[in-house]
Amino acid sequence: MITNLSVQIAPKHHSGLLLANPVMTASGTFGYGTENSHLFDVQQLGAIVCKGTTLEPRDGNPQPRLAETVGGVLNSIGLQNIGVDALIKEKAPVWAGWRVPVIVNIAGETVDDYARLAGRLDGVAGVSAIEVNISCPNVKTGGAEFGANPESAAGVTAAVKAATSLPILVKLTPNTSDIARVAMAVAEAGADAISLINTLRGMAISIAMRRPLLGSITGGLSGPTIKPVALYMVYEVAGAVEVPVIGCGGISTADDAIEFIMAGASAVQVGTASFTNPRAPLDVLEGIKQFMKQKGVNDIAELIGAARKKAR
Ligand SMILES: Cc1cc2nc3c(=O)[nH]c(=O)nc-3n(C[C@H](O)[C@H](O)[C@H](O)COP(=O)(O)O)c2cc1C
């Protein structure tokens, strides 16, 4: 039996973005893809999404930046990264030799920052698409502020779209009152696909030290504990927009990924799970293949939105 795992995640885009399979890494949890390439062949994945990139290099937030919680992790990295120039000089040439597409996650403090980043990445060999992070809860300005309401989210999307010919994914924050409305606005403004969710804002306190555990007081919650929230939001958004939806949030196993796909996601991203098991994205992919084989599913398309069809 020949199994088709390929998914088109930018069908409206003039050249599209065809992935060999639906499993990607989530931004910020897999570096630039190069760090784990000695552990397994990362090029087997559907796509690699790199660390959030800004115009200038950033040192990030004060330590401590990570705190473990029940079934999850709080982080306040604050977009520590090498900056777009170093990414173009040092990372993109490596990616250009890879068969797996690399998607560059970008973040800015102003709409103009996003447009300039998109412009700098346009036409760079090794960069297959841009993921617009309008959802980072760990920076003082920009970030999740843009993703919190439909108007500002659409403004960033339109500016990025105008600045690049690359396919663009827009990554949404769960820290908003109506995620479906934000999704509809960014789709209307030209997003080729929508990824969700970024982390949920949270905090933890050390009762021994009588102070917050994170250096920047609050952080973003990720990991298995957020999965039901992420799944619900993916279900909502997939019912609201025509563009492909990429599901993310607490995916650690193939079963988790299949739930998101059945909720309507065309692809998935594996994040925090890579911290405990760096091969998690590959294990998820292998598990999806096994599931399809066991159930006699020839094409992943049969699973996309399968739980929606039944609900109707
Ligand atoms: C340490 C850490 C760093 C992250 N950095 C970024 C980032 O730079 N850009 C971004 O869009 N999301 C970032 N995220 C969010 C993840 O990509 C993902 O959306 C979120 O963690 C939920 O998925 P998960 O539960 O599988 O980790 C980060 C998450 C963690 C835990």
Side-chain angles (χ1 to χ4, degrees), residues 26-29 51-52 66 75 77 79 105 131 133 135 171 197-199 222-223 226 248-251 269-272 275:
S27 177
T29 61
K51 176 66 195 161
L66 282 177
N75 93 83
I77 305 295
L79 293 175
N105 181 284
E131 181 175 63
N133 174 7
S135 45
K171 184 165 176 183
I197 58 174
N198 208 313
T199 52
S222 63
I226 71 168
C248 176
I251 298 174
Q269 298 179 344
V270 179
T272 301
F275 294 157

Side-chain angles (χ1 to χ4, degrees), residues 52-58 79 81-88 105-121:
T53 299
T54 50
L55 281 171
E56 301 297 332
R58 282 175 65 103
L79 293 175
N81 78 99
I82 59 175
V84 71
D85 289 337
L87 178 140
I88 291 171
N105 181 284
I106 61 169
E109 293 183 1
T110 64
V111 174
D112 188 53
D113 284 354
Y114 282 96
R116 284 172 56 203
L117 277 159
R120 293 279 288 115
L121 293 165

Side-chain angles (χ1 to χ4, degrees), residues 13-35:
H13 185 265
H14 57 86
S15 43
L17 184 55
L18 186 68
L19 310 186
N21 64 69
V23 182
M24 315 180 187
T25 60
S27 177
T29 61
F30 210 74
Y32 295 92
T34 45
E35 296 85 341

Side-chain angles (χ1 to χ4, degrees), residues 185-200:
V186 302
E188 175 90 356
D192 294 295
I194 293 174
S195 47
L196 71 153
I197 58 174
N198 208 313
T199 52
L200 284 146

